[in-house]
Amino acid sequence: MFSCDNDNLENSQIQLREDVIVENAVFRISYNEIKEQPNWIEYTVRDFVKVADRGNMDFYRVQGIWTSDDNDYYKNEWDKGHLAPAATFSDSEENLNKTFSFINCAMQIDNLNRGEWAQLEQQVRDWSVNGNISVKIDLVFAANHEIRNSGVHIPTGFWKNLTFSNGDQTCYYFPNSSTNKNWDKYQANCN
């Protein structure tokens, strides 16, 4: 892995990679430095006792990976949408902190992030009392997806695949746009 400090380098000065794999105690992720967004993420939701609070934590950059940053989210409708949710990993301060890296967030329309997406995250936590749930989220970029002046690419949608401890699967597809129906109406065929 190369070493870079995003504050002192332009992305044209480094060789950007399409698939940087990062694994920690919370998630496994494929990050796309060209798009400044994840390709996909995998994590496991389990029943736990909350011991940490997000307080005023903010997103941070990971050394050696070219990512989006605060400027991409400034004064627009895009939230720093957690992919591995902070609330799902509030079982320790260390795990909670891992969810606040820019490699774990996506340009997600504010209404979706704070609405149906968050509601499904809570539902998955509720379901986890019956056993661990494996989650995989794939970001979708249509051929004509938006690229902002800052260089960050805007996902056109998100596939969320849930695999329950008994092997059953449930999938959801959320367009990256304002939502107008309940989270369960976004359920889709897993194929």
Side-chain angles (χ1 to χ4, degrees):
M1 171 157 323
F2 67 89
S3 175
C4 76
D5 176 353
N6 291 3
D7 292 327
N8 297 321
L9 285 178
E10 294 294 321
N11 66 359
S12 61
Q13 293 177 289
I14 59 175
Q15 181 65 39
L16 299 178
R17 301 165 290 178
E18 290 184 56
D19 184 24
V20 179
I21 302 295
V22 176
E23 194 165 358
N24 61 36
V26 172
F27 56 76
R28 183 172 184 261
I29 194 164
S30 166
Y31 197 84
N32 189 320
E33 293 176 319
I34 296 166
K35 292 179 177 167
E36 298 180 12
Q37 294 289 280
N39 295 310
W40 54 261
I41 187 170
E42 297 172 331
Y43 59 91
T44 300
V45 180
R46 57 196 171 20
D47 194 23
F48 70 94
V49 175
K50 178 181 177 180
V51 298
D53 187 16
R54 71 191 290 167
N56 56 1
M57 286 186 175
D58 203 3
F59 284 87
Y60 60 89
R61 293 179 174 149
V62 173
Q63 178 93 18
I65 301 176
W66 184 265
T67 65
S68 62
D69 59 34
D70 284 329
N71 295 326
D72 296 309
Y73 299 90
Y74 184 70
K75 289 189 177 182
N76 60 44
E77 69 273 22
W78 305 103
D79 275 357
K80 297 171 191 161
H82 277 91
L83 294 178
T88 300
F89 296 98
S90 58
D91 58 328
S92 74
E93 196 77 32
E94 183 180 351
N95 283 348
L96 181 60
N97 186 55
K98 288 181 188 331
T99 70
F100 276 89
S101 70
F102 274 104
I103 61 173
N104 181 46
C105 73
M107 300 285 291
Q108 195 170 58
I109 197 78
D110 52 8
N111 175 268
L112 172 61
N113 182 48
R114 300 171 202 178
E116 284 70 13
W117 188 262
Q119 292 164 12
L120 177 55
E121 289 173 341
Q122 180 59 56
Q123 183 61 58
V124 173
R125 283 190 292 278
D126 293 346
W127 286 332
S128 74
V129 300
N130 298 315
N132 291 354
I133 301 169
S134 297
V135 178
K136 182 172 185 193
I137 300 169
D138 289 291
L139 282 71
V140 176
F141 296 89
N144 63 344
H145 69 274
E146 179 181 350
I147 303 172
R148 299 192 49 87
N149 290 340
S150 64
V152 70
H153 294 232
I154 306 295
T156 50
F158 304 90
W159 276 103
K160 186 174 241 182
N161 182 321
L162 309 177
T163 304
F164 295 86
S165 57
N166 66 2
D168 288 349
Q169 286 191 324
T170 304
C171 297
Y172 300 86
Y173 179 75
F174 291 89
N176 197 8
S177 57
S178 291
T179 56
N180 58 3
K181 51 189 176 184
N182 198 44
W183 63 265
D184 60 345
K185 302 300 183 208
Y186 292 92
Q187 188 170 346
N189 188 320
C190 289
N191 296 330

